[in-house]
Amino acid sequence: MDHVSRNSKGSAADGESRAHGAAATGRLVIWPPGGGGWVDCAADEITWLDRSLLSGNRDLTLHRAPRCAGLRYVHRQWELFSRDTTHQVYLAPHEDETPLDHEAVQAAARHVLPVAPAQHYETLPVALEDGGWLVSVGTWVLPLRLEAPVRRSHPASAPRGKEQPPTQEEGSRTIGSPVRRRPHRPEAAADVRAYFDRNGTARMAMAFHYQEYILGLPAPQPVPMTEVAIAFDLSGEGAVSDYKKLLQDLIWKERGHPRELAEFLLANGLLTRADLELARKTAMANERSGKSEMTRRRLQYLKKK
């Protein structure tokens, strides 16, 4: 039975070249089947656990990217996610001398990512903890290890004049947002939460619309409003637009904050992964029942008219 020592190290040259990045993010390494050693995962791109990596393109039951499981670095942490529509993905701790057997991994799994509901969807990810792990996809097993980032002390930054706290304008710049024309209303978060409590469809529609933001994907983009309307049997993309306008009125008493809207909703816990999971389940139920297809045809007919 094959084994992989979870304490094996890469070469000194490899470690030297990646020292700076690992210090900031933590070093994630994998041991590809037949690879003969640990390979670093780049923090600025997704490592796809696809047919090529796992089986050298021999196992045709495995999917190619992006319809497979993957590893990525988002929100200052490494996570395992899956878009695989065929296989469950199992994650188990890797103890020394653990056999690389998919049945053993499944039996010891601490996390199980379910089959993704449909193409272009993905399961809720699992944040990786430091240490050794085994991932099982189908009959294939991939060892990986996450090393904690190096904690370094930083010299004190230049003192701010009269110790004033950062302004709202400066705070918005740190997350890449444009300067707001108007600060949000003090009661905005409470008002939006009350609105979502009254209108569950609006909450699900916005979670579905901003799912890439909720999942922390690189360069996130909103799901097209037409797709949201089809998923939730709405009158059209105008319904989604109306939700966004109403929310901007509740938050800023003005329109024109499209990207800031997503950031505000996430920062205040008004849209969560639980909301996204419920939205996806509802969308899939509508798809299976045929309701989404009827909505799709209705919207296509209206466009032709």
Side-chain angles (χ1 to χ4, degrees):
M1 185 66 69
D2 292 336
H3 298 272
V4 170
S5 172
R6 62 191 175 94
N7 294 317
S8 299
K9 301 292 184 182
S11 68
D14 289 342
E16 181 87 15
S17 65
R18 296 176 176 86
H20 179 73
T25 66
R27 184 186 183 204
L28 180 66
V29 293
I30 60 175
W31 189 296
W38 292 106
V39 177
D40 285 85
C41 296
D44 58 352
E45 62 185 41
I46 294 175
T47 299
W48 295 104
L49 311 187
D50 58 5
R51 181 188 303 174
S52 174
L53 176 69
L54 295 179
S55 74
N57 288 318
R58 297 192 305 275
D59 187 346
L60 300 183
T61 68
L62 297 175
H63 295 292
R64 301 184 186 277
R67 296 183 58 223
C68 57
L71 299 163
R72 65 190 175 200
Y73 184 78
V74 293
H75 292 318
R76 300 182 181 179
Q77 65 182 12
W78 287 96
E79 64 183 24
L80 171 70
F81 68 98
S82 178
R83 299 176 184 172
D84 196 311
T85 58
T86 305
H87 304 94
Q88 291 181 309
V89 179
Y90 298 84
L91 180 67
H94 186 188
E95 305 296 340
D96 283 331
E97 304 306 320
T98 300
L100 302 186
D101 178 80
H102 69 282
E103 293 182 349
V105 175
Q106 293 176 14
R110 184 174 298 177
H111 301 282
V112 180
L113 279 63
V115 172
Q119 191 175 4
H120 306 309
Y121 290 87
E122 71 179 41
T123 61
L124 294 180
V126 173
L128 294 175
E129 300 174 9
D130 299 340
W133 298 90
L134 294 174
V135 177
S136 173
V137 182
T139 60
W140 299 89
V141 175
L142 179 76
L144 59 89
R145 185 179 69 243
L146 176 59
E147 300 172 354
V150 178
R151 305 297 181 186
R152 296 180 178 178
S153 59
H154 297 278
S157 57
R160 301 177 63 88
K162 298 183 180 181
E163 298 299 324
Q164 292 295 320
T167 64
Q168 184 177 39
E169 178 177 309
E170 290 171 330
S172 66
R173 285 173 181 160
T174 62
I175 58 175
S177 302
V179 177
R180 292 175 176 168
R181 289 175 292 169
R182 181 196 296 267
H184 65 75
R185 299 167 57 243
E187 63 274 26
D191 287 350
V192 172
R193 185 172 288 107
Y195 171 70
F196 278 159
D197 289 343
R198 296 192 306 270
N199 193 330
T201 300
R203 185 196 294 267
M204 288 191 296
M206 296 311 297
F208 197 83
H209 184 54
Y210 288 129
Q211 58 184 274
E212 291 193 2
Y213 294 83
I214 296 174
L215 293 170
L217 300 185
Q221 296 294 326
V223 171
M225 290 189 287
T226 300
E227 292 185 20
V228 179
I230 292 171
F232 299 99
D233 191 27
L234 303 178
S235 59
E237 63 181 55
V240 183
S241 178
D242 288 343
Y243 288 150
K244 297 173 70 173
K245 291 175 182 176
L246 186 148
L247 290 170
Q248 291 178 60
D249 286 341
L250 288 175
I251 298 168
W252 294 286
K253 284 191 174 179
E254 66 180 12
R255 316 282 171 80
H257 300 267
R259 186 174 182 89
E260 289 179 272
L261 176 58
E263 294 175 350
F264 181 89
L265 296 175
L266 268 65
N268 288 275
L270 299 167
L271 290 181
T272 66
R273 294 194 176 191
D275 296 321
L276 176 56
E277 185 174 14
L278 176 60
R280 286 179 165 180
K281 287 180 178 178
T282 302
M284 284 305 303
N286 289 340
E287 187 71 37
R288 293 189 182 109
S289 68
K291 183 181 292 186
S292 295
E293 181 60 26
M294 293 176 62
T295 305
R296 187 178 293 109
R297 292 178 181 178
R298 172 171 54 82
L299 296 182
Q300 289 175 347
Y301 175 75
L302 291 176
K303 283 185 178 180
K304 290 179 180 178
K305 290 185 64 177

